């Protein structure tokens, strides 16, 4: 089906990335005939193009029944590869902090949906929550800050390509407009699934640099964890359920 494209250079739960033409890649959905993810990510990349934070958009195409979004090829390595090197953790934290704060200084363009809508949709969809917990979480969302900043929604070292001032962010499918504290909380939850110490260090570094109180991030934790349950990551279920029910950060 993708023989003309060769082997994928990247792979995830929902898509594969192939070299498409010089300087460009195509991200093909795994779900045949479903063009919605490709069109949504292309629209997001077009809205974000003036910021220079992500790859340039190149349109939507269909290849053998699979829809894909064409985008600029941001050459690696992924920032996460630096974690195993001397002084790598400090370098990773510095690059992440620079990019995340740069992103959060920018008002979201009109093409990005509200972050709260994603949380409501995911919490409403997951079958892993008991009904009282689901209702409590949904009722809490209107009282949390709305925010109008660019939020990536999947910001972690594997979605950052490069290790210096030219580093760029990829995988913008979940981008939205919202409160930076919620986006930082999402990063804390994602990193904490594999490295709790790194998650803590990043949270502390971000809060210190941005003058943000940890309680602003903590307020989002049950909602962010519950929303993550809808993504059906089996190894994280127990931890996410505990966080959704109000367990402390550590």
């Amino acid at each position: 089906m993708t023989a003309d494209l060769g082997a994928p250079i990247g792979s995830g739960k929902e898509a594969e990335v192939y070299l498409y033409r010089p300087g460009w890649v195509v991200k093909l959905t795994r779900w045949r005939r479903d063009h919605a993810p490709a069109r949504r990510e292309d629209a997001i990349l077009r809205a974000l193009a003036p910021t220079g934070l992500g790859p340039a958009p190149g349109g939507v195409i269909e290849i053998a029944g699979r829809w894909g979004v064409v985008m600029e090829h941001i050459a690696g390595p992924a920032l996460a590869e630096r974690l195993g090197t001397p002084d790598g953790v400090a370098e990773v934290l510095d690059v992440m902090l620079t990019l995340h704060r740069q992103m959060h200084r920018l008002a979201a363009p009109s093409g990005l949906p509200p972050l709260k809508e994603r949380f409501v949709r995911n919490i409403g969809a997951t079958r892993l929550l008991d009904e009282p917990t689901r209702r409590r979480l949904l009722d809490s969302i209107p009282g949390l800050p709305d925010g109008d900043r660019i939020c990536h929604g999947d910001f972690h070292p594997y979605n950052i390509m490069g290790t210096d001032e030219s580093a760029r962010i990829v995988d913008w499918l979940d981008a939205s407009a919202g409160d930076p504290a919620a986006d930082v909380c999402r990063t804390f939850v994602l990193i904490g699934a594999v490295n709790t110490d790194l998650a803590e260090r990043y949270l502390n570094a971000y809060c210190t640099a941005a003058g943000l109180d940890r309680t602003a991030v903590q307020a989002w934790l049950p909602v962010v964890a519950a929303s993550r349950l809808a993504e059906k990551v089996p190894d994280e279920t127990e931890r996410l359920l505990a966080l959704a029910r109000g367990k402390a950060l550590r």
Side-chain angles (χ1 to χ4, degrees):
M1 177 165 48
T2 54
D4 291 343
L5 296 175
I9 62 171
S11 180
K13 183 174 66 174
E14 297 184 357
E16 294 174 312
V17 179
Y18 296 85
L19 293 174
Y20 181 58
R21 59 176 184 260
W24 297 84
V25 297
V26 59
K27 180 179 178 182
L28 287 176
T29 179
R30 293 185 181 275
W31 321 121
R32 290 177 61 85
R33 310 300 177 189
D34 184 2
H35 59 78
R39 294 196 183 282
R40 184 164 70 251
E41 187 160 14
D42 182 66
I44 289 170
L45 291 178
R46 291 185 185 281
L48 290 169
T51 72
L53 290 169
V60 175
I61 61 171
E62 183 183 11
I63 299 177
R66 295 173 67 185
W67 286 86
V69 55
V70 178
M71 64 187 78
E72 178 188 4
H73 182 202
I74 307 299
L79 180 63
E81 294 184 20
R82 296 293 298 167
L83 289 172
T85 65
D87 302 319
V89 170
E91 181 180 2
V92 167
L93 291 173
D94 183 62
V95 174
M96 287 183 65
L97 186 61
T98 297
L99 288 172
H100 220 181
R101 292 200 65 213
Q102 180 184 351
M103 182 196 314
H104 291 158
R105 292 188 188 102
L106 300 174
S110 59
L112 297 189
L115 176 56
K116 283 186 175 182
E117 287 186 1
R118 179 187 178 201
F119 290 151
V120 169
R121 181 175 63 253
N122 285 356
I123 292 172
T126 182
R127 297 180 179 180
L128 296 172
L129 290 169
D130 59 89
E131 200 54 37
T133 300
R134 186 198 317 278
R135 179 45 49 196
R136 175 178 55 81
L137 291 169
L138 290 174
D139 287 347
S140 74
I141 291 175
L144 292 167
D146 290 317
D148 66 349
R149 303 291 99 177
I150 296 174
C151 294
H152 183 270
D154 202 22
F155 187 81
H156 55 74
Y158 283 101
N159 277 340
I160 300 171
M161 307 306 291
T163 59
D164 53 23
E165 63 277 359
S166 65
R168 304 272 288 283
I169 309 164
V170 298
D171 200 4
W172 286 89
L173 185 60
D174 293 324
S176 61
D179 179 19
D183 204 35
V184 173
C185 187
R186 167 76 174 182
T187 296
F188 175 86
V189 168
L190 293 174
I191 297 177
V194 293
N195 190 324
T196 56
D197 288 339
L198 183 63
E200 277 288 329
R201 288 183 63 176
Y202 184 68
L203 177 58
N204 289 334
Y206 186 100
C207 288
T208 298
L212 180 68
D213 195 292
R214 280 175 63 103
T215 58
V217 179
Q218 286 176 302
W220 284 101
L221 187 58
V223 168
V224 170
S227 177
R228 172 76 167 157
L229 285 168
E231 298 169 42
K232 300 177 182 178
V233 187
D235 293 344
E236 297 183 34
T237 298
E238 184 176 348
R239 171 176 175 265
L240 293 172
L241 282 171
L243 294 175
R245 290 166 179 157
K247 183 180 177 180
L249 280 173
R250 295 207 63 160

PDB file of all heavy atoms in Angstrom, residues 14 40-41 44 113 115 118 121 151-154 171-177 183 186 231:
ATOM      1  N   GLU A  14      -1.683   6.251  15.848  1.00  0.00           N
ATOM      2  CA  GLU A  14      -2.707   6.638  14.890  1.00  0.00           C
ATOM      3  C   GLU A  14      -2.191   6.944  13.497  1.00  0.00           C
ATOM      4  O   GLU A  14      -2.976   7.078  12.563  1.00  0.00           O
ATOM      5  CB  GLU A  14      -3.479   7.849  15.422  1.00  0.00           C
ATOM      6  CG  GLU A  14      -4.224   7.560  16.720  1.00  0.00           C
ATOM      7  CD  GLU A  14      -5.064   8.737  17.179  1.00  0.00           C
ATOM      8  OE1 GLU A  14      -5.018   9.785  16.507  1.00  0.00           O
ATOM      9  OE2 GLU A  14      -5.765   8.598  18.189  1.00  0.00           O
ATOM     10  N   ARG A  40      -7.770  18.054   9.778  1.00  0.00           N
ATOM     11  CA  ARG A  40      -7.692  18.854  11.007  1.00  0.00           C
ATOM     12  C   ARG A  40      -6.260  19.313  11.277  1.00  0.00           C
ATOM     13  O   ARG A  40      -6.021  20.483  11.597  1.00  0.00           O
ATOM     14  CB  ARG A  40      -8.222  18.039  12.187  1.00  0.00           C
ATOM     15  CG  ARG A  40      -8.275  18.838  13.491  1.00  0.00           C
ATOM     16  CD  ARG A  40      -9.141  18.147  14.529  1.00  0.00           C
ATOM     17  NE  ARG A  40      -8.538  16.928  15.044  1.00  0.00           N
ATOM     18  CZ  ARG A  40      -8.972  15.702  14.774  1.00  0.00           C
ATOM     19  NH1 ARG A  40     -10.012  15.527  13.975  1.00  0.00           N
ATOM     20  NH2 ARG A  40      -8.389  14.644  15.301  1.00  0.00           N
ATOM     21  N   GLU A  41      -5.287  18.395  11.117  1.00  0.00           N
ATOM     22  CA  GLU A  41      -3.912  18.792  11.386  1.00  0.00           C
ATOM     23  C   GLU A  41      -3.405  19.780  10.341  1.00  0.00           C
ATOM     24  O   GLU A  41      -2.660  20.714  10.671  1.00  0.00           O
ATOM     25  CB  GLU A  41      -2.988  17.575  11.448  1.00  0.00           C
ATOM     26  CG  GLU A  41      -1.586  17.934  11.885  1.00  0.00           C
ATOM     27  CD  GLU A  41      -0.784  16.767  12.426  1.00  0.00           C
ATOM     28  OE1 GLU A  41      -1.200  15.608  12.225  1.00  0.00           O
ATOM     29  OE2 GLU A  41       0.274  17.013  13.044  1.00  0.00           O
ATOM     30  N   ILE A  44      -4.645  23.128  11.363  1.00  0.00           N
ATOM     31  CA  ILE A  44      -3.893  23.624  12.514  1.00  0.00           C
ATOM     32  C   ILE A  44      -2.530  24.142  12.082  1.00  0.00           C
ATOM     33  O   ILE A  44      -2.097  25.230  12.495  1.00  0.00           O
ATOM     34  CB  ILE A  44      -3.754  22.516  13.573  1.00  0.00           C
ATOM     35  CG1 ILE A  44      -5.105  22.250  14.240  1.00  0.00           C
ATOM     36  CG2 ILE A  44      -2.713  22.890  14.626  1.00  0.00           C
ATOM     37  CD1 ILE A  44      -5.129  21.019  15.120  1.00  0.00           C
ATOM     38  N   PRO A 113      -9.335  25.040  18.248  1.00  0.00           N
ATOM     39  CA  PRO A 113     -10.511  24.858  19.095  1.00  0.00           C
ATOM     40  C   PRO A 113     -10.175  25.100  20.563  1.00  0.00           C
ATOM     41  O   PRO A 113      -9.008  25.025  20.962  1.00  0.00           O
ATOM     42  CB  PRO A 113     -10.884  23.388  18.856  1.00  0.00           C
ATOM     43  CG  PRO A 113      -9.563  22.739  18.566  1.00  0.00           C
ATOM     44  CD  PRO A 113      -8.771  23.761  17.788  1.00  0.00           C
ATOM     45  N   LEU A 115      -9.453  24.347  24.347  1.00  0.00           N
ATOM     46  CA  LEU A 115      -8.927  23.173  25.036  1.00  0.00           C
ATOM     47  C   LEU A 115      -9.990  22.520  25.909  1.00  0.00           C
ATOM     48  O   LEU A 115     -10.075  21.294  26.003  1.00  0.00           O
ATOM     49  CB  LEU A 115      -7.721  23.581  25.888  1.00  0.00           C
ATOM     50  CG  LEU A 115      -7.076  22.500  26.759  1.00  0.00           C
ATOM     51  CD1 LEU A 115      -6.647  21.310  25.913  1.00  0.00           C
ATOM     52  CD2 LEU A 115      -5.890  23.072  27.518  1.00  0.00           C
ATOM     53  N   ARG A 118     -12.060  19.773  24.344  1.00  0.00           N
ATOM     54  CA  ARG A 118     -11.401  18.462  24.237  1.00  0.00           C
ATOM     55  C   ARG A 118     -11.552  17.693  25.541  1.00  0.00           C
ATOM     56  O   ARG A 118     -11.846  16.488  25.544  1.00  0.00           O
ATOM     57  CB  ARG A 118      -9.938  18.647  23.886  1.00  0.00           C
ATOM     58  CG  ARG A 118      -9.173  17.340  23.767  1.00  0.00           C
ATOM     59  CD  ARG A 118      -7.692  17.577  23.584  1.00  0.00           C
ATOM     60  NE  ARG A 118      -6.962  16.331  23.518  1.00  0.00           N
ATOM     61  CZ  ARG A 118      -5.663  16.227  23.759  1.00  0.00           C
ATOM     62  NH1 ARG A 118      -4.958  17.295  24.078  1.00  0.00           N
ATOM     63  NH2 ARG A 118      -5.059  15.060  23.690  1.00  0.00           N
ATOM     64  N   ARG A 121     -15.121  16.425  25.923  1.00  0.00           N
ATOM     65  CA  ARG A 121     -15.381  15.320  24.996  1.00  0.00           C
ATOM     66  C   ARG A 121     -14.731  14.022  25.479  1.00  0.00           C
ATOM     67  O   ARG A 121     -15.362  12.953  25.491  1.00  0.00           O
ATOM     68  CB  ARG A 121     -14.869  15.694  23.610  1.00  0.00           C
ATOM     69  CG  ARG A 121     -15.116  14.633  22.547  1.00  0.00           C
ATOM     70  CD  ARG A 121     -14.702  15.122  21.179  1.00  0.00           C
ATOM     71  NE  ARG A 121     -13.271  15.394  21.086  1.00  0.00           N
ATOM     72  CZ  ARG A 121     -12.734  16.611  21.033  1.00  0.00           C
ATOM     73  NH1 ARG A 121     -13.510  17.690  21.055  1.00  0.00           N
ATOM     74  NH2 ARG A 121     -11.424  16.783  20.938  1.00  0.00           N
ATOM     75  N   CYS A 151      -1.845  26.024  22.979  1.00  0.00           N
ATOM     76  CA  CYS A 151      -1.527  24.840  23.774  1.00  0.00           C
ATOM     77  C   CYS A 151      -1.303  23.669  22.818  1.00  0.00           C
ATOM     78  O   CYS A 151      -2.159  23.397  21.976  1.00  0.00           O
ATOM     79  CB  CYS A 151      -2.670  24.517  24.742  1.00  0.00           C
ATOM     80  SG  CYS A 151      -2.909  25.772  26.030  1.00  0.00           S
ATOM     81  N   HIS A 152      -0.188  22.988  22.959  1.00  0.00           N
ATOM     82  CA  HIS A 152       0.160  21.907  22.036  1.00  0.00           C
ATOM     83  C   HIS A 152      -0.658  20.653  22.281  1.00  0.00           C
ATOM     84  O   HIS A 152      -1.117  19.998  21.350  1.00  0.00           O
ATOM     85  CB  HIS A 152       1.654  21.594  22.144  1.00  0.00           C
ATOM     86  CG  HIS A 152       2.130  20.551  21.196  1.00  0.00           C
ATOM     87  ND1 HIS A 152       2.144  19.202  21.504  1.00  0.00           N
ATOM     88  CD2 HIS A 152       2.608  20.638  19.926  1.00  0.00           C
ATOM     89  CE1 HIS A 152       2.616  18.520  20.487  1.00  0.00           C
ATOM     90  NE2 HIS A 152       2.918  19.365  19.510  1.00  0.00           N
ATOM     91  N   GLY A 153      -0.831  20.285  23.541  1.00  0.00           N
ATOM     92  CA  GLY A 153      -1.639  19.126  23.875  1.00  0.00           C
ATOM     93  C   GLY A 153      -0.902  17.803  23.903  1.00  0.00           C
ATOM     94  O   GLY A 153      -1.431  16.800  24.377  1.00  0.00           O
ATOM     95  N   ASP A 154       0.345  17.784  23.405  1.00  0.00           N
ATOM     96  CA  ASP A 154       1.130  16.542  23.401  1.00  0.00           C
ATOM     97  C   ASP A 154       2.612  16.897  23.442  1.00  0.00           C
ATOM     98  O   ASP A 154       3.431  16.307  22.734  1.00  0.00           O
ATOM     99  CB  ASP A 154       0.806  15.720  22.152  1.00  0.00           C
ATOM    100  CG  ASP A 154       1.132  14.235  22.327  1.00  0.00           C
ATOM    101  OD1 ASP A 154       1.208  13.775  23.480  1.00  0.00           O
ATOM    102  OD2 ASP A 154       1.303  13.546  21.313  1.00  0.00           O
ATOM    103  N   ASP A 171       3.816  17.142  15.527  1.00  0.00           N
ATOM    104  CA  ASP A 171       2.615  16.452  16.009  1.00  0.00           C
ATOM    105  C   ASP A 171       1.644  17.426  16.689  1.00  0.00           C
ATOM    106  O   ASP A 171       1.397  17.363  17.894  1.00  0.00           O
ATOM    107  CB  ASP A 171       2.984  15.316  16.957  1.00  0.00           C
ATOM    108  CG  ASP A 171       1.859  14.294  17.081  1.00  0.00           C
ATOM    109  OD1 ASP A 171       0.837  14.443  16.378  1.00  0.00           O
ATOM    110  OD2 ASP A 171       1.992  13.345  17.874  1.00  0.00           O
ATOM    111  N   TRP A 172       1.024  18.271  15.883  1.00  0.00           N
ATOM    112  CA  TRP A 172       0.146  19.325  16.372  1.00  0.00           C
ATOM    113  C   TRP A 172      -1.334  18.967  16.307  1.00  0.00           C
ATOM    114  O   TRP A 172      -2.188  19.842  16.450  1.00  0.00           O
ATOM    115  CB  TRP A 172       0.388  20.595  15.549  1.00  0.00           C
ATOM    116  CG  TRP A 172       1.667  21.286  15.886  1.00  0.00           C
ATOM    117  CD1 TRP A 172       2.894  21.071  15.320  1.00  0.00           C
ATOM    118  CD2 TRP A 172       1.863  22.317  16.863  1.00  0.00           C
ATOM    119  NE1 TRP A 172       3.835  21.902  15.877  1.00  0.00           N
ATOM    120  CE2 TRP A 172       3.232  22.684  16.823  1.00  0.00           C
ATOM    121  CE3 TRP A 172       1.000  22.975  17.759  1.00  0.00           C
ATOM    122  CZ2 TRP A 172       3.764  23.667  17.659  1.00  0.00           C
ATOM    123  CZ3 TRP A 172       1.533  23.955  18.589  1.00  0.00           C
ATOM    124  CH2 TRP A 172       2.902  24.295  18.535  1.00  0.00           C
ATOM    125  N   LEU A 173      -1.660  17.716  16.134  1.00  0.00           N
ATOM    126  CA  LEU A 173      -3.056  17.329  15.938  1.00  0.00           C
ATOM    127  C   LEU A 173      -3.955  17.729  17.100  1.00  0.00           C
ATOM    128  O   LEU A 173      -5.139  18.012  16.911  1.00  0.00           O
ATOM    129  CB  LEU A 173      -3.146  15.817  15.708  1.00  0.00           C
ATOM    130  CG  LEU A 173      -4.523  15.252  15.369  1.00  0.00           C
ATOM    131  CD1 LEU A 173      -5.065  15.868  14.078  1.00  0.00           C
ATOM    132  CD2 LEU A 173      -4.457  13.733  15.238  1.00  0.00           C
ATOM    133  N   ASP A 174      -3.412  17.764  18.314  1.00  0.00           N
ATOM    134  CA  ASP A 174      -4.216  18.075  19.496  1.00  0.00           C
ATOM    135  C   ASP A 174      -4.083  19.529  19.943  1.00  0.00           C
ATOM    136  O   ASP A 174      -4.484  19.871  21.068  1.00  0.00           O
ATOM    137  CB  ASP A 174      -3.817  17.152  20.656  1.00  0.00           C
ATOM    138  CG  ASP A 174      -4.183  15.712  20.389  1.00  0.00           C
ATOM    139  OD1 ASP A 174      -5.230  15.469  19.770  1.00  0.00           O
ATOM    140  OD2 ASP A 174      -3.416  14.817  20.802  1.00  0.00           O
ATOM    141  N   ALA A 175      -3.528  20.395  19.110  1.00  0.00           N
ATOM    142  CA  ALA A 175      -3.358  21.798  19.490  1.00  0.00           C
ATOM    143  C   ALA A 175      -4.703  22.473  19.736  1.00  0.00           C
ATOM    144  O   ALA A 175      -5.715  22.142  19.104  1.00  0.00           O
ATOM    145  CB  ALA A 175      -2.593  22.540  18.403  1.00  0.00           C
ATOM    146  N   SER A 176      -4.695  23.430  20.654  1.00  0.00           N
ATOM    147  CA  SER A 176      -5.935  24.096  21.034  1.00  0.00           C
ATOM    148  C   SER A 176      -5.623  25.466  21.621  1.00  0.00           C
ATOM    149  O   SER A 176      -4.466  25.846  21.786  1.00  0.00           O
ATOM    150  CB  SER A 176      -6.699  23.251  22.063  1.00  0.00           C
ATOM    151  OG  SER A 176      -5.909  23.083  23.228  1.00  0.00           O
ATOM    152  N   ALA A 177      -6.674  26.195  21.952  1.00  0.00           N
ATOM    153  CA  ALA A 177      -6.553  27.479  22.635  1.00  0.00           C
ATOM    154  C   ALA A 177      -6.955  27.273  24.089  1.00  0.00           C
ATOM    155  O   ALA A 177      -8.036  26.749  24.363  1.00  0.00           O
ATOM    156  CB  ALA A 177      -7.466  28.515  21.981  1.00  0.00           C
ATOM    157  N   ASP A 183      -1.760  23.020  29.762  1.00  0.00           N
ATOM    158  CA  ASP A 183      -0.818  22.410  28.829  1.00  0.00           C
ATOM    159  C   ASP A 183       0.412  21.892  29.567  1.00  0.00           C
ATOM    160  O   ASP A 183       0.929  20.819  29.259  1.00  0.00           O
ATOM    161  CB  ASP A 183      -0.413  23.439  27.770  1.00  0.00           C
ATOM    162  CG  ASP A 183       0.062  22.802  26.468  1.00  0.00           C
ATOM    163  OD1 ASP A 183      -0.481  21.748  26.079  1.00  0.00           O
ATOM    164  OD2 ASP A 183       0.961  23.378  25.837  1.00  0.00           O
ATOM    165  N   ARG A 186      -0.577  18.722  31.288  1.00  0.00           N
ATOM    166  CA  ARG A 186      -0.592  17.607  30.336  1.00  0.00           C
ATOM    167  C   ARG A 186       0.831  17.072  30.132  1.00  0.00           C
ATOM    168  O   ARG A 186       1.052  15.854  30.123  1.00  0.00           O
ATOM    169  CB  ARG A 186      -1.192  18.084  29.014  1.00  0.00           C
ATOM    170  CG  ARG A 186      -1.003  17.163  27.825  1.00  0.00           C
ATOM    171  CD  ARG A 186      -1.898  15.964  27.835  1.00  0.00           C
ATOM    172  NE  ARG A 186      -1.747  15.209  26.575  1.00  0.00           N
ATOM    173  CZ  ARG A 186      -2.408  14.126  26.255  1.00  0.00           C
ATOM    174  NH1 ARG A 186      -3.298  13.628  27.090  1.00  0.00           N
ATOM    175  NH2 ARG A 186      -2.208  13.520  25.104  1.00  0.00           N
ATOM    176  N   GLU A 231      -7.702   7.984  25.854  1.00  0.00           N
ATOM    177  CA  GLU A 231      -6.716   7.584  24.852  1.00  0.00           C
ATOM    178  C   GLU A 231      -6.331   6.109  24.966  1.00  0.00           C
ATOM    179  O   GLU A 231      -5.531   5.614  24.176  1.00  0.00           O
ATOM    180  CB  GLU A 231      -5.487   8.489  24.962  1.00  0.00           C
ATOM    181  CG  GLU A 231      -5.824   9.945  24.683  1.00  0.00           C
ATOM    182  CD  GLU A 231      -4.692  10.885  25.040  1.00  0.00           C
ATOM    183  OE1 GLU A 231      -3.518  10.555  24.737  1.00  0.00           O
ATOM    184  OE2 GLU A 231      -4.958  11.944  25.638  1.00  0.00           O
TER     185      GLU A 231
END
